[in-house]
């Protein structure tokens, strides 16, 4: 239980309306998009300014209260599941685009700005903010930075870390820290910006984010290639990369996912296809024409039975809206959906696709596979019912085998969804104990009382004492 005098202080700073303490008000803040048990916080605070954030962090620091920052709670790794006695800080009111600088091509935003809102605002000025997680219509830029979110355009344009020029944040002791700059180059001090990106709320509370913008591509061409086998589709992915063509987007869907998506989105996808590749090339119109043709030729050579090229913006939008609905479409099928994002070097995509098929057969479970094939970042999605404990044990064993296979192929446990609580127990498999110890020591030095998002990434921090 939180001391009532602390709630009084929160009320004085924010006004009672923005301090939640009733169970029914806090329920939504007790879980996120990961399949993990919910934990109710002691209080939820909703600040609107830097000053208010700073005061709350100071109170948490003085009272050794765990503090979990929350954007939209769409993360898939348990990163916003709070400590039972802790405080959740929602960034929902920190939603201003502070500046879009066209001359120097950067944007300055508060952390609660919705990703798609910034993308649309800069597009209106002929600029481009490429990172586009499938959740962009609801996720926040603070959450994207804290997770180092990827998305559909990672192959050509990179991920969130490639666009963060500078940050302002409060550390665990309530100090205001400024990193990076608004210049293209910046070589002063440690690369603290790099450290903060992907830190999942464990090293500081982001207050202001400066993001790089680039000129918008002049032309785009989207197409859907249809295959009779998923092996042919995955081999096409490897062949496109090997041909030195870098599409903006190169996504794969298996038959299970195609059926779910078509049922959900009615986009006209061929439900009998074993697999689809959704591809977009962009850039100068002449290059788009040339690369588009090369991609079509490669798709046909490797077995595509049909290639549908979007002729209008509306057709193009339909393709990508359908792809973005994949998770929601699959989620309708069974009570529990476990979305994984183990990632392999791109050339290993055909091997990973085969490995997933074997795992589904071995554990007798339903796995829908889709994802950012061009990045080697598949999303094997297991459909199950957590209440069926016998089946869920098989699901857990399957997940561990997916991790093992990805690591054996030189891959990683997470391409974009982060570590959070969900993958913390497995991190040692990938990074080794010394790496975890290094991160724990770093964290202990910056947050000696372990108040910022405890348990995420590095596991239980207390273990440091006996290490
Ligand atoms: C349908 C769907 C599709 C998705 N598609 C993708 C995808 O294509 N690519 C991808 O990468 N992810 C994807 N995700 C996962 C998720 O949307 C991303 O991880 C996103 O970055 C989370 O943003 P959020 O605002 O919801 O953050 P939250 O879930 O609220 O928080 C995520 C983490 O950031 C921390 N955090 C949030 N704000 C701050 C702050 N101001 N300061 C410090 N820490 C902070 C939190 O403590 C937490 O650890 C998808 C999720 C869903 C549900």
């Amino acid at each position: 239980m939180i001391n009532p005098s602390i709630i009084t202080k929160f009320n004085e700073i924010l006004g009672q309306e923005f301090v939640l303490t009733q169970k029914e008000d806090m329920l939504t803040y007790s879980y996120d998009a990961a399949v993990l048990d919910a934990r109710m916080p002691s209080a939820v605070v909703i600040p609107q300014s830097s000053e208010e954030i700073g005061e709350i962090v100071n109170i948490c620091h003085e009272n050794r209260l765990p503090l979990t920052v929350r954007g939209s709670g769409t993360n898939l790794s348990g990163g916003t599941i709070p400590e039972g006695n802790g405080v959740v800080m929602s960034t929902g009111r920190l939603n201003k685009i502070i500046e879009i600088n066209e001359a120097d091509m950067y944007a300055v935003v508060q952390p609660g700005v919705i990703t798609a809102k910034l993308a649309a605002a800069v597009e209106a000025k002929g600029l481009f903010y490429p990172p586009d997680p499938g959740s962009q219509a609801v996720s926040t830029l603070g959450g994207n930075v804290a997770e180092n979110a990827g998305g559909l355009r990672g192959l050509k344009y990179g991920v969130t870390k490639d666009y963060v020029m500078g940050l302002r944040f409060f550390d665990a002791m309530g100090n205001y820290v400024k990193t990076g700059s608004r210049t293209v180059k910046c070589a002063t001090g440690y690369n603290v910006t790099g450290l903060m990106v992907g830190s999942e709320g464990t090293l500081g509370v982001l207050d202001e984010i400066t993001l790089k913008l680039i000129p918008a591509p002049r032309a785009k061409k989207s197409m859907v290639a249809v295959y009779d086998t998923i092996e042919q589709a995955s081999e096409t992915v490897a062949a496109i990369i090997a041909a030195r063509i870098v599409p903006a987007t190169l996504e794969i869907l298996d038959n299970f996912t195609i059926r779910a998506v078509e049922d959900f989105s009615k986009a006209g996808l061929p439900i009998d296809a074993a697999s689809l590749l959704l591809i977009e090339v962009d850039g100068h119109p002449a290059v788009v024409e040339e690369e588009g043709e090369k991609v079509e030729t490669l798709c046909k050579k490797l077995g595509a039975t049909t290639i549908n090229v979007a002729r209008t913006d509306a057709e193009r939008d339909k393709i990508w809206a359908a792809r973005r609905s994949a998770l929601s479409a699959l989620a309708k099928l069974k009570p529990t959906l476990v979305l994984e994002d183990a990632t392999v070097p791109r050339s290993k995509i055909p091997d990973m696709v085969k490995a997933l098929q074997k795992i589904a057969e071995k554990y007798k479970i339903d796995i829908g596979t889709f994802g950012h094939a061009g990045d080697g970042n598949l999303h094997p999605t297991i459909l199950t019912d957590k209440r069926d404990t016998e089946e869920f044990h098989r699901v857990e064993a399957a997940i561990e085998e997916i991790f093992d296979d990805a690591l054996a192929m030189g891959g990683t446990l997470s391409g974009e969804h982060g570590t959070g609580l969900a993958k913390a127990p497995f991190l040692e498999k990938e990074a080794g104990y010394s790496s975890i110890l290094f991160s724990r020591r770093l964290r202990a030095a910056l947050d000696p009382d372990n108040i910022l998002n405890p348990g995420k990434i590095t596991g239980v921090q207390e273990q440091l004492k006996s290490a």
Side-chain angles (χ1 to χ4, degrees), residues 32-33 68-76 79-80 91 111 132-135 138-152 200-202 204-207 323-324 327-328 339 372 379 416-417 453 456:
D32 51 33
T68 296
V69 192
R70 181 182 176 101
S72 296
T74 66
N75 78 87
L76 292 149
T80 42
T91 61
D132 64 338
S135 52
V138 280
S139 72
T140 65
L141 289 161
N144 293 171
V145 172
E147 292 287 352
N148 187 20
L152 279 68
E200 299 185 18
T202 64
V205 179
L206 303 173
D207 170 53
R323 162 59 188 89
R324 284 179 196 286
L327 183 50
S328 319
L339 180 86
H372 320 304
H379 289 318
E416 54 182 20
H417 295 163
N453 219 5
K456 315 301 175 345

Side-chain angles (χ1 to χ4, degrees), residues 172 198-204 443 446-447 452-458:
S199 64
E200 299 185 18
T202 64
L203 299 179
R443 201 166 161 178
L446 297 172
D447 181 8
L452 289 180
N453 219 5
K456 315 301 175 345
I457 303 181
T458 52

Side-chain angles (χ1 to χ4, degrees), residues 7-16 19:
I7 300 294
T8 307
K9 279 190 201 163
F10 286 157
N11 285 337
E12 283 167 8
I13 297 165
L14 302 175
Q16 224 167 331
V19 181

